[in-house]
Amino acid sequence: MSIILILIPLSILFALAFLGAFIWSVRSGQFEDTTTPPMRLLLDDKQISDRRPDSESKSK
Amino acid sequence: MVFDLLTENGLDRFYQFGTAAGVRVNRPTKAERFRFLDEPAVRARLVDFSNAQLTRVTLRLPAIHCIACVWLLENLFRLKPGLGQSQVNFPRQEVSIAFETARVKLSDVAALLASLGYEPELKLADLESPPHPRVPRRLWVQLGLAGFAFGNAMLFSIATYLGLDVFSGPAFQKLVGFISLALAVPVVIYSAADYHRSAWVSLRQKLLNIDVPIAAGVIAIFAQSTFEVVSGRGAGYFDSLCGLIFFLLCGKLFQQKTYERLAFDRDYKSFFPLSVTRKQGRAEESVSLAQLAVGDHLLLRNGELIPADARLVAGPAVIDYSFVTGESEPVEKQADDYLYAGGRQIGGAIEVEMVKGVSQSYLTSLWNQDAFRKDKTATLNALTNTYSQRFTKIVIAIAVGVAVFWAFVDPAKSLKSFTSVLIVACPCALALAAPFALGTAQRVLARRNVFLKNPYVLETLAMVDAVVFDKTGTLTAAGAGSVTWTGAPLSEAEECWFYSMTRHSTHPLPVRIGDAIARNHFPEPVRSFLETAGCGMEGAVAGNEIWMGSGAWLESRGVGCRSRGDETLASSGKKSEPPDVGSYVHVAINGKHRGAYVLESALRPEADALITKLAENYELALLSGDHERERARLAGLFGEAAPLRFNQSPLNKLGFIRDLQRDGQTVMMVGDGLNDAGALKQSDVGVAVVENVNAFSPASDVILAAGMVPRLGDVLRYAKQSVRTVRAAFVISSLYNVVGVAIAASGNLSPIVCAILMPLSSVSVVAFACSVTAWLGRDLADGARSSSSARTAAERAEPELCAPNPMQVRP
C-alpha cells in the first residue's frame, strides 16, 4: 500500500502540468474568441477549391 | 475593382465561398480620407502596440458577416507588402492587423480595408478608452484553479470517506489532509479573493450583501479544517470548500454572458465619426473631430453625419434625422438653414459652417443631463441582497446562540458547533439561484431577439408599474402601412413596368411598393438602370424611360410634380382617418409626371392588442415628438385617463419620466431613436426598439427587435415569473440550510455530510432554477416566428449587411 505515497504526488504533478497548460491558454487569449477559430478551421486553401461553390453558402 | 484587386493577388477563391461572399463597395476610397489617422495623438490612441519595426492595431469592421470575410481579412498580407499577420475576431467584428511601421502607414491600412468594402468604424468613443475583454481572463484562471483543487481534493477525500485509511493507516489520512490544505490555500487566497474584497467593502458600508456570509463561511471552513489537519484530528472540509468556490465562480461566469455585437452603453460619441473633411479655401483636409472649431467649413458627402449644429452654406441638402428623431423621412434644407447635429446627408456633397462646438450642440447637450451620470448598477442584484440581509442576521444569531448553549452544556463543543453552523449555512445555493435563473431567462429571451444588458434587468422589469411609449418607430412602423396610388389610374402594363423597376432596388420604399403591386405581374427586363441614393432610380422598360423617386429629385430633372402641393392637403385630413405623414414616391414616364405612390406608416400589427392588454396591469403613457394629428385615435387606444404628450423634445421626455419616478413609480420606457435617449436613460428600464438588432441603438437596458414589440406583455410576465422562480429557489436552499444547521447545531457535523450536502444543495438549486425558467420560456416560443420575419424585413432594409454583389440583381 505504500506505493500510494509515490503515486499521489506523481498524480498531483500531472494535474499541475494540466493546470499550467490551462493558465497558459487563458493568458494567450484562447478563451476570448471561441467563434472564429472553428471557422478558420474550414478555411484550408486546398480543400475549399475542391468544393462546389454553393456548398459553402449554408455556413453563413 | 475589388474583383481585380483580388484576382491580381491570387485571392480569387474569395468568390467561391458562394453567393454570400461579396462586399458592397460604396465609393472609391482615397487614402487622404484616413490621413488624420497618422497624426501622432490619434495614432497613439488607436494602436495596441508600436515600435520601430512593428505596429499592431485592432479595428472594428461592421461589414464582417460571413466566413469568406474571415478568410479574406486573414489573407490581407497578400494584398499589400509590409502587412503582417491579421486575425479576425468574428463575434466582435474586429480585425487585429500587424504591419511594418516603416513601410506602411495606419492610414494605408484603413484605406485598403475601406477599398475592400470593410470600412473601419472609427468613432469618437474609440479615442477615449480601449475596449476590455468582456469576461476577464482573471475569472477564467480563478475558475480553473478552483476546479483543479476541487477535483483533486475530492479524489483524495473520497478515499478517506470510504474508509481506505483502514488499510493504509493514519499516515495516509494525514498526507491527504496536508495535500488538501496545500490545494486549498491558493483557492482561498486567489480564487475567492473577489468575495473577500466585496464582503469587506460591504461591511465597511455597514451593509450585509450576499458576499458577507459567503466570505464568513469560506474563512470558517478554512480555519476549522486547517486546525483539524494540523492537530491531526481529521482531514477537514477542504474538498467542500474548493467545490463551493468552484460552483460560485461557475455562477459568476454564467451571469457574465453578454452580447458582444450589441452595445448598451452607447452615447453620442459612439456614432459620431472620428474625422470630417474640413474645407479651407480650395484645400480639403481630413481632420479629427476634436480639432474642429466654430466657424470651420465642413464638407459632408452622402451618408456622412453632421457632427455639430451648423449652417448650410452650399446645398441643397436632404437630411435624414432618423438617428435623432426616429423619423425615417429625410428633410430638405436650403442654403442658410440651420442644421442640427446628428442628421445624415443623403445625396450629393454639401458644405456647412459650424455654429456650435461638437459638445455644445443641441443633440449632445442631452448627454450633459444628470440622468447620464447616474449609475444604475447600484441596484444590481437587489433580490439576493435584500434576502441575504435577513439571512445573514439569522445565521449569525443561530451560530452565536449555539455557541453560548454549548458553552454551558459542553464547553469542548462550543467552538466546533459555532464554525459548523457557519460552514453549513454558507449560502452557496442562495448565491447561485439568482445568477442561474436570471441568466437562463436572459438566454431564453435572447433567442427571441430580446437582449438584456445583464440578467438583473429582469428584477427591475418585474417591478415595473408604468410603461411609457414613444410613438414613431415604436408603436408605428414604417413597413406596416398601406401603399396607395394617387394620380390617374394606371394601366396593367404601366403597373408592370413600375413593378419591374422596383425589383432592382433594395431601398425599403421601392421594396414595399414592389410587394404591394406584385400580384400577377411578370417582371420585364430593365435597361440602363441607375439608382441614386436618397433620390430615386431610373431605367428603361419596354422602351419607356421611367423615373421613380422623391419629388425634389424629379423636379430637379424638370418634371413638374403637381401633387407635391397636395401632399400637405392629403395628410392634413380630407379623409375620415388621416394617415400619418406618408412617404411619397413619384413616378414619371418619359419625362412626364404620372402620379405617386403614397406609403403610409401605421400602427404595428397587434399594437392595439398589446396596449389593451398592458392597460389592465400597468399605467400607460405616450410621448411623441410628433404633432397631435393622431391624438384622437391613440386616445381611443390608450384610454382617456392615460397621458398623451405630443411635440415633446428629448428634454421634455426625460422630465416626464422623472416626474413619474418622483411619484414612486418604476418606469419602463419603450423607444427608439436618439430623441428618446434621455428618457431611456432616466427610466428604470429603458427598452430600445430596433428594426435590426445590429444597427445603432441608444443607450438602454434592453434591446428589443421590432417584431417582438407586440409581445412586450409576455416579456414582462416572463420577467415576473423568473423572479418568482428565484424566490422559490431561495426557499429550497433555505430548507437545505435548516437541515444542515440542525445537524451542525448538535455539534456533530462530519466532513462526509458536509461533502454531500453542499454540492447537492447547489446542484439541485441550480437545476431547479435553470429548468423552471427554461420551461416557462417555452410560452414565448411562438414569438420567435414573428420576430424572424421581422428580421428578414430588417435585412432587406439594410442592404450593406449582406448584399450579394453591387451589380447583382435582386432575385
Side-chain angles (χ1 to χ4, degrees):
Chain A
M1 228 26 214
S2 54
I3 188 75
I4 204 157
L5 297 179
I6 302 165
L7 287 176
I8 285 178
L10 206 64
S11 74
I12 289 185
L13 274 182
F14 271 115
L16 276 176
F18 281 108
L19 180 68
F22 173 74
I23 292 175
W24 166 80
S25 70
V26 172
R27 289 260 161 96
S28 63
Q30 294 182 23
F31 281 78
E32 261 138 61
D33 176 14
T34 47
T35 316
T36 326
M39 297 173 116
R40 210 170 282 139
L41 195 69
L42 299 170
L43 293 178
D44 194 302
D45 281 3
K46 295 273 154 45
Q47 285 183 352
I48 288 154
S49 55
D50 296 340
R51 269 187 222 156
R52 286 223 319 272
D54 51 354
S55 66
E56 277 297 312
S57 56
K58 276 181 225 129
S59 66
K60 198 197 73 171
Chain B
M1 195 192 84
V2 173
F3 181 77
D4 294 341
L5 187 63
L6 292 181
T7 38
E8 265 170 38
N9 291 283
L11 292 182
D12 50 331
R13 200 163 290 137
F14 177 71
Y15 290 100
Q16 296 177 10
F17 284 104
T19 49
V23 232
R24 193 178 165 90
V25 184
N26 292 324
R27 54 176 175 259
T29 317
K30 279 182 268 169
E32 286 80 59
R33 276 189 51 227
F34 295 102
R35 207 49 89 201
F36 67 96
L37 290 176
D38 296 328
E39 281 167 33
V42 175
R43 190 191 141 96
R45 288 292 187 82
L46 286 174
V47 297
D48 306 329
F49 165 82
S50 184
N51 65 14
Q53 284 87 43
L54 195 76
T55 305
R56 181 167 275 281
V57 65
T58 304
L59 296 168
R60 200 177 125 75
L61 310 178
I64 294 179
H65 65 272
C66 64
I67 194 165
C69 302
V70 176
W71 185 78
L72 178 64
L73 289 169
E74 297 199 338
N75 280 297
L76 217 55
F77 62 92
R78 298 189 200 189
L79 295 180
K80 194 177 174 71
L83 285 184
Q85 199 198 19
S86 48
Q87 198 170 18
V88 176
N89 185 324
F90 189 79
R92 298 169 75 151
Q93 298 178 316
E94 280 175 357
V95 65
S96 161
I97 303 172
F99 56 90
E100 290 173 40
T101 314
R103 282 174 76 185
V104 182
K105 280 185 282 191
L106 184 56
S107 57
D108 296 337
V109 177
L112 173 67
L113 288 171
S115 69
L116 290 173
Y118 300 99
E119 182 151 345
E121 191 181 67
L122 298 163
K123 300 295 179 191
L124 203 52
D126 296 341
L127 287 184
E128 310 224 316
S129 63
H132 306 282
R134 297 291 176 89
V135 177
R137 292 179 183 182
R138 196 178 133 81
L139 181 58
W140 282 109
V141 177
Q142 286 178 330
L143 182 71
L145 190 67
F148 159 78
F150 170 49
N152 285 288
M154 188 57 104
L155 267 178
F156 298 130
S157 304
I158 279 181
T160 57
Y161 295 152
L162 297 177
L164 201 65
D165 44 337
V166 172
F167 304 104
S168 56
F172 176 71
Q173 200 191 13
K174 204 154 172 107
L175 176 72
V176 166
F178 276 105
I179 290 174
S180 305
L181 173 62
L183 287 170
V185 167
V187 173
V188 170
I189 292 174
Y190 182 69
S191 295
D194 293 346
Y195 293 101
H196 299 315
R197 197 175 302 126
S198 157
W200 179 241
V201 168
S202 133
L203 277 180
R204 284 216 334 218
Q205 291 171 342
K206 301 209 166 66
L207 287 168
L208 291 171
N209 69 3
I210 187 74
D211 292 337
V212 174
I214 291 177
V218 166
I219 291 168
I221 303 176
F222 187 70
Q224 171 82 20
S225 311
T226 313
F227 170 72
E228 283 185 11
V229 167
V230 171
S231 67
R233 290 173 195 219
Y237 312 90
F238 287 120
D239 52 335
S240 308
L241 172 65
C242 297
L244 168 90
I245 294 170
F246 177 69
F247 287 129
L248 284 172
L249 290 171
C250 284
K252 209 170 189 178
L253 190 70
F254 192 76
Q255 79 185 54
Q256 291 222 343
K257 169 80 180 173
T258 46
Y259 303 96
E260 300 201 347
R261 281 183 192 216
L262 307 175
F264 290 94
D265 292 314
R266 288 194 234 209
D267 65 3
Y268 66 93
K269 291 193 181 102
S270 331
F271 66 94
F272 269 23
L274 206 52
S275 77
V276 284
T277 314
R278 182 164 64 185
K279 211 170 170 185
Q280 281 182 324
R282 285 281 175 82
E284 288 175 16
E285 55 171 345
S286 193
V287 293
S288 67
L289 223 55
Q291 293 172 307
L292 292 179
V294 172
D296 279 354
H297 281 233
L298 310 177
L299 193 70
L300 298 173
R301 300 188 186 83
N302 178 25
E304 288 185 343
L305 207 71
I306 305 171
D309 292 3
R311 194 176 57 83
L312 186 61
V313 178
V318 182
I319 309 292
D320 170 13
Y321 275 117
S322 59
F323 260 5
V324 190
T325 59
E327 194 62 70
S328 63
E329 257 329 89
V331 189
E332 284 169 50
K333 294 281 179 187
Q334 299 304 325
D336 265 356
D337 278 353
Y338 194 83
L339 305 176
Y340 287 115
R344 223 178 242 289
Q345 161 64 4
I346 293 176
I350 56 169
E351 191 183 329
V352 300
E353 183 189 337
M354 272 177 66
V355 179
K356 282 184 182 167
V358 172
S359 57
Q360 270 93 49
S361 292
Y362 166 77
L363 177 66
T364 45
S365 65
L366 187 63
W367 271 269
N368 300 329
Q369 289 293 308
D370 279 342
F372 289 92
R373 291 194 209 108
K374 184 183 68 169
D375 193 8
K376 280 188 195 171
T377 50
T379 56
L380 216 68
N381 205 358
L383 201 60
T384 312
N385 280 336
T386 40
Y387 191 83
S388 78
Q389 296 272 349
R390 261 174 287 158
F391 178 85
T392 314
K393 282 174 195 159
I394 293 171
V395 166
I396 290 174
I398 293 177
V400 171
V402 166
V404 170
F405 170 76
W406 285 110
F408 287 109
V409 181
D410 181 2
K413 274 191 172 178
S414 174
L415 191 64
K416 160 118 181 162
S417 58
F418 177 75
T419 49
S420 297
V421 170
L422 285 186
I423 290 169
V424 162
C426 185
C428 182
L430 193 65
L432 289 175
F436 275 98
L438 300 182
T440 309
Q442 184 191 21
R443 286 164 171 76
V444 167
L445 287 173
R447 275 201 294 273
R448 320 280 181 246
N449 283 339
V450 181
F451 299 93
L452 308 182
K453 186 178 177 180
N454 62 51
Y456 300 110
V457 171
L458 282 162
E459 291 180 16
T460 331
L461 265 180
M463 289 188 292
V464 163
D465 43 26
V467 183
V468 180
F469 285 98
D470 168 52
K471 183 174 73 77
T472 320
T474 308
L475 286 182
T476 61
S482 61
V483 177
T484 45
W485 170 256
T486 59
L490 292 171
S491 68
E492 276 291 305
E494 280 171 329
E495 196 171 273
C496 183
W497 298 341
F498 298 158
Y499 174 62
S500 315
M501 289 285 291
T502 60
R503 300 249 314 166
H504 288 262
S505 176
T506 47
H507 189 277
L509 292 184
V511 168
R512 267 183 66 200
I513 296 175
D515 288 347
I517 62 176
R519 285 183 303 170
N520 302 321
H521 295 303
F522 190 76
E524 287 178 36
V526 178
R527 278 175 232 292
S528 56
F529 180 81
L530 185 70
E531 191 168 7
T532 318
C535 294
M537 50 186 182
E538 55 192 291
V541 189
N544 294 296
E545 187 67 26
I546 295 176
W547 297 342
M548 293 175 87
S550 72
W553 182 66
L554 286 184
E555 276 184 353
S556 73
R557 317 187 120 211
V559 180
C561 298
R562 278 171 297 104
S563 69
R564 279 196 84 204
D566 303 342
E567 283 176 23
T568 41
L569 215 67
S571 54
S572 64
K574 268 190 170 176
K575 300 177 199 164
S576 56
E577 192 175 284
D580 197 357
V581 178
S583 306
Y584 278 71
V585 175
H586 290 269
V587 186
I589 300 178
N590 296 328
K592 269 186 73 184
H593 189 249
R594 188 68 186 76
Y597 283 103
V598 187
L599 292 89
E600 289 167 15
S601 80
L603 283 182
R604 284 182 195 283
E606 299 181 59
D608 338 11
L610 169 76
I611 301 292
T612 340
K613 206 171 135 198
L614 284 181
E616 291 169 14
N617 300 317
Y618 297 95
E619 276 193 43
L620 299 180
L622 179 93
L623 297 175
S624 175
D626 220 345
H627 27 101
E628 299 206 23
R629 213 183 311 119
E630 286 192 284
R631 177 183 275 280
R633 188 165 119 203
L634 289 163
L637 197 58
F638 275 78
E640 291 303 323
L644 306 176
R645 304 276 181 91
F646 294 89
N647 300 316
Q648 297 284 300
S649 76
L651 276 179
N652 290 148
K653 291 187 176 187
L654 197 154
F656 181 80
I657 304 277
R658 198 185 289 143
D659 289 345
L660 280 182
Q661 286 172 327
R662 206 168 288 151
D663 297 341
Q665 288 181 309
T666 308
V667 185
M668 177 167 96
M669 171 77 202
V670 189
D672 66 335
L674 281 181
N675 61 337
D676 301 319
L680 289 173
K681 189 76 187 177
Q682 174 70 36
S683 62
D684 297 280
V685 185
V687 180
V689 177
V690 292
E691 292 288 343
N692 175 349
V693 289
N694 291 320
F696 171 82
S697 61
S700 58
D701 302 300
V702 182
I703 293 177
L704 182 81
M708 282 298 281
V709 169
R711 299 182 56 87
L712 207 55
D714 296 332
V715 172
L716 281 168
R717 195 174 39 118
Y718 184 54
K720 283 193 173 166
Q721 287 171 335
S722 318
V723 169
R724 233 174 280 144
T725 312
V726 175
R727 286 188 203 283
F730 283 171
V731 172
I732 296 179
S733 104
S734 301
L735 286 178
Y736 279 112
N737 272 318
V738 168
V739 175
V741 167
I743 301 173
S746 68
N748 294 321
L749 183 72
S750 68
I752 187 158
V753 170
C754 194
I756 293 172
L757 196 64
M758 291 181 84
L760 182 71
S761 64
S762 303
V763 169
S764 60
V765 164
V766 166
F768 170 80
C770 290
S771 56
V772 171
T773 32
W775 181 73
L776 288 169
R778 85 206 182 287
D779 282 354
L780 288 164
D782 42 342
R785 247 172 281 136
S786 64
S787 69
S788 72
S789 65
R791 205 166 11 174
T792 49
E795 273 165 15
R796 287 170 78 177
E798 201 69 34
E800 35 312 283
L801 196 70
C802 236
N805 195 307
M807 301 310 292
Q808 204 170 325
V809 175
R810 212 156 53 86

